[in-house]
Amino acid sequence: MPDTATVPDTATAGRRPRWQPELLLIAAVYAAYSGGRLLARGDVTTAVDHGLAILRAEKALALDLEHPLNRLFSSTPALGIPADFVYASLHYLVTPAVLIWLFRRHPARYRAARAWLMISTLLGLVGFTLVPTCPPRLLDAAHGFVDTMAQFSSYGWWGGEASAPRGLGGMTNQYAAMPSLHVGWALWCGAVLWRHGRTAPTKAFAVGYPLLTAVVVMGTANHYFLDAVAGAAVMGVGALLTRPATRLLDRVSAVLPREANSRAVSDGCKTSAGERIPGQRTSSAASAEAECTADPKAAVGAGSVSAAADAGGGADDSAPAATR
């Protein structure tokens, strides 16, 4: 996880960022991510080839964990149904909840953590585009996988097309399996909660949530084990890029307002000859001239006082200018 305590944040240091721009920014990034997933559907044949290549590599490395988990989940509804609910919902609930918690409880750490999540998400989108991958559940039945989301769809709001609500399967890219951002986002949540959480339950959730997510995505046949590894790798690369990306944005934001303020001062702020700058000391003559210009009646009174002072032998030089 990036060291959020040392990431420069000159714009927001010591205060909580405004929630309205943050909400708009997160919504814009998520909309771009969702739209990008749809545009990066890829060729089905290529996606199937990539899925089979991953499966062969896992078998060669004895990392084929999906088959035993999927057999367990599909044959045990008491495990398969809750796992489907976890897959279909927690991804979209826990991540924003952790963002809000960090925003409210640790505002000085929020910006770097949010940047880390967004950079990693965009890297995941690159992966979906370059390596469209068929998930295990969409492979031919001869490969031994059961789509538990379709098997237990009568228990939830989803249909037979991933975790999308019934009738909206066309709104999602079912071949965006590599990397697994379910695992990546869960790992981000765990790292943030472990670093900034203070209670034992928070620490336990920080460890358990990513592990649970990894088991669920494989047991429901939505991802391969190497998809989960790739999701963790994407978050690692995102963590490495967070500090330089944040520093670059700080430099840009520091230059733009300075130029805008310079133009505003030079174009719109002109000081007239008789205008007094706040805090500036002026001579008696200048003060009298300013008062005379501002109020003729006051000028008459000022002249009388001046005459009386001259008649009395002059003003005491040690007195303040305003009392002369």
Side-chain angles (χ1 to χ4, degrees):
M1 179 179 179
D3 185 359
T4 55
T6 60
V7 172
D9 194 2
T10 56
T12 60
R15 61 185 176 88
R16 178 180 291 111
R18 292 182 298 167
W19 66 268
Q20 297 94 333
E22 288 297 320
L23 186 61
L24 290 175
L25 175 62
I26 293 171
V29 171
Y30 184 76
Y33 163 72
S34 300
R37 279 173 57 103
L38 293 176
L39 294 176
R41 289 174 184 261
D43 179 65
V44 174
T45 302
T46 302
V48 171
D49 289 342
H50 288 158
L52 293 177
I54 292 173
L55 198 58
R56 288 192 297 268
E58 289 185 353
K59 289 181 178 179
L61 297 171
L63 296 175
D64 181 17
L65 303 180
E66 307 92 82
H67 272 116
L69 285 171
N70 183 240
R71 284 193 294 267
L72 177 63
F73 281 29
S74 60
S75 62
T76 311
L79 293 176
I81 294 172
D84 288 342
F85 275 97
V86 168
Y87 182 84
S89 60
L90 291 192
H91 184 57
Y92 304 103
L93 297 177
V94 176
T95 308
V98 172
L99 269 174
I100 294 171
W101 173 81
L102 195 64
F103 180 86
R104 293 178 60 85
R105 298 291 296 274
H106 302 279
R109 308 289 186 260
Y110 168 80
R111 182 168 176 254
R114 180 257 289 151
W116 177 25
L117 178 65
M118 290 185 173
I119 292 170
S120 302
T121 299
L122 294 178
L123 290 176
L125 181 58
V126 173
F128 302 151
T129 305
L130 298 179
V131 191
T133 304
C134 178
R137 63 185 180 81
L138 294 182
L139 293 176
D140 189 272
H143 295 286
F145 290 104
V146 175
D147 185 353
T148 63
M149 302 292 291
Q151 181 184 7
F152 301 121
S153 61
S154 60
Y155 292 90
W157 59 84
W158 57 87
E161 298 174 300
S163 58
R166 289 185 181 86
L168 298 179
M171 299 298 293
T172 185
N173 179 6
Q174 298 193 73
Y175 298 99
M178 171 65 79
S180 171
L181 285 187
H182 270 76
V183 173
W185 286 12
L187 186 62
W188 176 88
C189 293
V192 169
L193 292 174
W194 179 266
R195 184 176 183 86
H196 303 300
R198 296 291 181 264
T199 64
T202 302
K203 299 282 190 182
F205 185 82
V207 174
Y209 178 55
L211 294 176
L212 173 66
T213 303
V215 171
V216 163
V217 299
M218 289 187 288
T220 57
N222 278 284
H223 288 282
Y224 306 92
F225 173 74
L226 289 181
D227 292 346
V229 172
V234 162
M235 300 309 296
V237 175
L240 294 176
L241 294 177
T242 296
R243 183 176 297 179
T246 305
R247 285 176 175 170
L248 177 61
L249 289 176
D250 281 341
R251 292 192 185 100
V252 172
S253 62
V255 170
L256 294 180
R258 187 182 302 123
E259 293 178 351
N261 290 338
S262 176
R263 287 194 299 269
V265 170
S266 62
D267 294 343
C269 299
K270 297 181 180 179
T271 304
S272 62
E275 183 178 355
R276 179 183 177 185
I277 300 175
Q280 180 183 10
R281 298 185 65 182
T282 59
S283 64
S284 300
S287 299
E289 180 179 344
E291 291 175 357
C292 190
T293 304
D295 190 346
K297 293 182 180 180
V300 174
S304 301
V305 173
S306 176
D310 291 339
D316 184 3
D317 289 340
S318 64
T323 61
R324 294 181 181 178

